Amino acid sequence: MFRIYLEPYLRTHLAMWVTFAGVLGLVVGSFLNVVIHRLPIMLTRGWRRECRDLLGTATNTENDTSYNLVLPSSRCPHCSHAIRAWENIPILSYLWLRGRCSACGERISLRYPAVELTAGGLTAVVAFHFGVSTAAAVAWTLSWALVALAYIDFDHQLLPDAITLPLLWLGLIVNSFHIFASLHAAVAGAVAGYLSLWLVFHGFRLVTGKDGMGHGDFKLLAMLGAWLGWQKLPLIILLASAAGALTGLGLILFRGRDRTQPMPFGPFLCVAGWIGLVWGGVLTSYYLQLTHLTG
């Protein structure tokens, strides 16, 4: 039914399609705020519960109440005021409330509208780039996952398997229909993505005796390889490494950051992976032409 009536209309009204995508992204961004905040807490509680079970110690009260992505309902972190529906409209509620809780008046973190705007903007760009297509719909899913992973890793230096592993398999399924790459290229990308950082990790540890990155980075790059194919991996690694090095150098020179303090690599991989998703083909072709590696 969609293909018969709505799809031709949206194809001739690209602005409407992009607007729809942007609004959808804002709504999903509101949910991503919940994922970013609660998923690390859920994982920590699960790990503690497993440790207590292993040690045979008494249960902890923090696990006596339901805590997941749905329950309990959202509340102000300062006064525990229950967030009502009209206070949870993406962007608009923040502007209407002037960035403050309606009950206690404490300031609402800019993180919440930032995540919503990020998700909305990326969703709109994907819709514009891929048009009305299956590729756009599945690319939204990858974009939203990358937003959540980037923010979680920035906050906790953690890339949850609960996101990366299902998305890795989803990438292989998507490319079994040759959406972004052939299935062969996707499988090779997943393997090469994992092994490349795995080798860097063990080589760095062999030379320095220290861990240079977390295992979650291996899985994230494997996930991106499964979605985009092995051909995009050099671009992703190059962009992420350059951005990470420049950011780290800038923080050391201008903010006095301790050079021994670890910095998460996941956000840079997420940004580079999204760029590879949308403009990877153009950038790779331009690079090959610039270096005279093609015709």
Side-chain angles (χ1 to χ4, degrees), residues 69-267:
L69 299 181
V70 178
L71 296 173
S73 59
S74 298
R75 296 180 177 273
C76 171
H78 304 287
C79 67
S80 297
H81 163 69
I83 306 299
R84 292 165 288 191
W86 68 269
E87 296 174 316
N88 209 25
I89 303 172
I91 303 300
L92 296 180
S93 291
Y94 185 86
L95 296 175
W96 177 262
L97 295 170
R98 298 182 180 180
R100 295 185 180 275
C101 173
S102 63
C104 67
E106 288 290 334
R107 187 169 297 279
I108 302 170
S109 173
L110 279 171
R111 163 68 66 85
Y112 297 107
V115 171
E116 292 167 355
L117 285 173
T118 301
L122 297 186
T123 306
V125 171
V126 166
F128 179 81
H129 180 78
F130 290 104
V132 182
S133 63
T134 302
V138 293
W140 290 344
T141 303
L142 177 59
S143 300
W144 299 332
L146 291 175
V147 171
L149 287 168
Y151 277 97
I152 291 174
D153 198 35
F154 180 81
D155 288 339
H156 304 281
Q157 296 189 21
L158 171 69
L159 292 166
D161 289 349
I163 298 178
T164 54
L165 296 185
L167 264 291
L168 188 155
W169 286 107
L170 181 59
L172 295 177
I173 294 171
V174 164
N175 283 324
S176 67
F177 299 97
H178 296 256
I179 302 294
F180 301 110
S182 68
L183 181 58
H184 179 270
V187 173
V191 174
Y194 188 92
L195 287 180
S196 58
L197 291 189
W198 183 87
L199 290 172
V200 170
F201 171 85
H202 286 284
F204 183 84
R205 188 166 66 173
L206 184 64
V207 173
T208 66
K210 301 177 181 178
D211 292 346
M213 65 181 67
H215 291 204
D217 295 317
F218 314 163
K219 301 169 190 175
L220 174 56
L221 191 57
M223 182 193 86
L224 292 172
W227 277 82
L228 307 179
W230 65 267
Q231 298 90 336
K232 302 288 178 59
L233 290 180
L235 173 67
I236 293 172
I237 294 174
L238 178 63
L239 290 176
S241 300
L246 291 174
T247 301
L249 182 61
L251 290 174
I252 292 171
L253 293 178
F254 301 109
R255 301 293 292 273
R257 181 187 178 94
D258 184 355
R259 66 182 61 196
T260 63
Q261 183 179 357
M263 185 174 66
F265 190 48

